[in-house]
Amino acid sequence: MTRIAIVEGDGIGHEVIPVAEAVLELLHPEYEYFAIDVGFHRWEQTGCPCADRDIEALKMADAILFGAVTTPPMKDYQSVVLRIRKALDLYANLRPVKGNGFDIIIVRENTEGLYSGIEETGHDRATTLRLVTRSGTERIVRKAIGLASRKNGTLTIGHKANVIKSDVFFRDICIAEAKAAGIPFNDRYIDALSLDLLQHPDRYSVVVTTNMFGDILSDVASYLVGGLGLVPSANIGERYALFEPVHGSAPDIAGKNIANPVAALRSAAMLLDHLGDRDAAVCIEEEIQHVISAGIRTRDLGGTAGTREFGDAVLTGLRKH
Ligand code: ATP
């Protein structure tokens, strides 16, 4: 029995995840779906945003569909999604950005770098340790190399080695691995890369980079396809896999039925692809394109459709297949 954990989280997670879950249930009614309730709202109710037993329950799933969680900027609040990524060792964050004439996957290291959580705040100074390890770098670049060879593409290494020593370390390990694998590669400073990716997206195939640079670069790259409401992601480890939109909980638009559910739907498609059902993943993508072309669009794409209306249109289309 294939088990899927559904985590709505906070904010627009409560709106976009039910749309994506309905599509999964339509295409795979034989799977077992179970909900896990974590996030900032849970902290507000109970003082604990994510309990140990929630992590254990997530580990029971073959795949996790995840919405978004709010992380308030409070000194002692631990980010739920960072905790889950660490606990499940979801070291590779894959963020595909596809459009007319370009097909890019940003491969973001997901467990260390500036988000290692090794921090200290004193009265006069605060420090965050940027941890880059050999084993962490080797496994992320090997993942990226695998994707680049499958796509017959070039690997681009994004870094800031001119300023940060830990990125000299990261870059050199990536280059050594790419040479050993015999795949075409180049490397770019992350700031120049961010601009060039927008100006010449067709020049890129697979981009590998450290945690925070990858986080920022993928938000920037979402501009190429119409914004944050459209970009999905996969968080992959050796044993577990979690799929979530790149966007956050967007409290400013939550509860209004205006969030775009496409990123969540595409995350569900990536989940099915991961479980081996590539046909279903392709069907979801085709139906999204079909509905958008028919003029049914949410507000961020210039339309008037609500989250639920867009989801219903996709469901109706899929039922006809
Ligand atoms: P986080 O720190 O978790 O990334 P955030 O609030 O900084 O959260 P997002 O939640 O990703 O960032 O939202 C940024 C903005 O993008 C929101 O204010 C919202 O206007 C827009 N946005 C994000 N997701 C969507 C969506 N699915 N549909 C429409 N607009 C969205």
Side-chain angles (χ1 to χ4, degrees):
M1 165 74 81
T2 302
R3 307 188 76 212
I4 311 289
I6 305 284
V7 184
E8 292 183 3
D10 295 306
I12 60 171
H14 295 299
E15 296 161 75
V16 297
I17 290 303
V19 169
E21 185 184 357
V23 164
L24 287 179
E25 284 179 358
L26 176 75
L27 298 173
H28 281 283
E30 79 284 11
Y31 288 176
E32 183 188 327
Y33 298 88
F34 62 99
I36 307 273
D37 184 28
V38 298
F40 183 54
H41 70 277
R42 187 75 192 273
W43 179 86
E44 289 178 309
Q45 289 159 5
T46 67
C48 171
C50 175
D52 290 345
R53 68 171 180 281
D54 298 320
I55 299 284
E56 291 316 307
L58 289 171
K59 288 182 176 173
M60 304 299 287
D62 295 287
I64 303 160
L65 180 67
F66 193 91
V69 284
T70 304
T71 307
M74 298 187 312
K75 224 173 72 180
D76 299 324
Y77 188 91
Q78 193 194 12
S79 159
V80 171
V81 73
L82 290 193
R83 172 158 179 220
I84 293 172
R85 284 176 186 154
K86 275 210 177 142
L88 274 56
D89 199 23
L90 303 170
Y91 68 90
N93 190 189
L94 315 181
R95 298 181 158 194
V97 186
K98 275 189 213 171
N100 257 346
F102 60 89
D103 179 357
I104 306 165
I105 303 183
I106 296 170
V107 181
R108 162 192 175 196
E109 200 294 320
N110 220 12
T111 53
E112 46 187 47
L114 259 180
Y115 296 176
S116 298
I118 309 168
E119 310 192 279
E120 253 179 50
T121 302
H123 183 267
D124 295 315
R125 63 178 231 158
T127 52
T128 297
L129 185 75
R130 186 177 196 269
L131 178 71
V132 179
T133 66
R134 178 172 296 281
S135 57
T137 305
E138 281 172 356
R139 67 179 181 173
I140 195 66
V141 73
R142 284 174 190 164
K143 184 67 134 190
I145 287 169
L147 290 164
S149 24
R150 221 172 303 155
K151 286 176 83 211
N152 248 337
T154 296
L155 176 73
T156 299
I157 304 154
H159 60 82
K160 195 70 184 160
N162 50 339
V163 181
I164 306 173
K165 290 281 178 280
S166 51
D167 256 6
V168 175
F169 183 79
F170 179 82
R171 179 200 62 191
D172 290 351
I173 293 171
C174 289
I175 289 176
E177 289 289 326
K179 279 186 179 161
I183 61 144
F185 70 93
N186 52 45
D187 70 290
R188 302 291 305 259
Y189 294 135
I190 194 72
D191 39 3
L193 171 61
S194 305
L195 177 60
D196 200 49
L197 195 88
L198 295 185
Q199 289 179 322
H200 307 288
D202 54 309
R203 291 183 186 166
Y204 295 92
S205 175
V206 176
V207 179
V208 66
T209 188
T210 48
N211 203 337
M212 191 175 78
F213 289 162
D215 195 10
I216 298 171
L217 187 68
S218 44
D219 272 28
V220 169
S222 77
Y223 175 77
L224 292 167
V225 290
L228 279 177
L230 296 161
V231 189
S233 78
N235 295 264
I236 309 280
E238 295 302 334
R239 288 186 59 187
Y240 307 107
L242 177 152
F243 301 82
E244 59 172 339
V246 165
H247 64 71
S249 59
D252 57 328
I253 58 166
K256 298 180 179 159
N257 190 36
I258 57 175
N260 190 340
V262 169
L265 284 164
R266 286 183 167 151
S267 302
M270 290 183 86
L271 180 152
L272 292 180
D273 195 8
H274 175 79
L275 293 177
D277 192 352
R278 173 131 196 83
D279 290 348
V282 171
C283 263
I284 295 173
E285 183 55 35
E286 283 175 359
E287 202 44 51
I288 290 169
Q289 296 296 343
H290 181 247
V291 170
I292 292 177
S293 308
I296 302 172
R297 293 169 196 184
T298 44
R299 217 176 56 167
D300 53 316
L301 297 185
T304 54
T307 311
R308 284 190 295 274
E309 291 68 43
F310 189 94
D312 288 345
V314 171
L315 278 171
T316 305
L318 285 171
R319 279 196 197 101
K320 287 186 194 148
H321 272 255

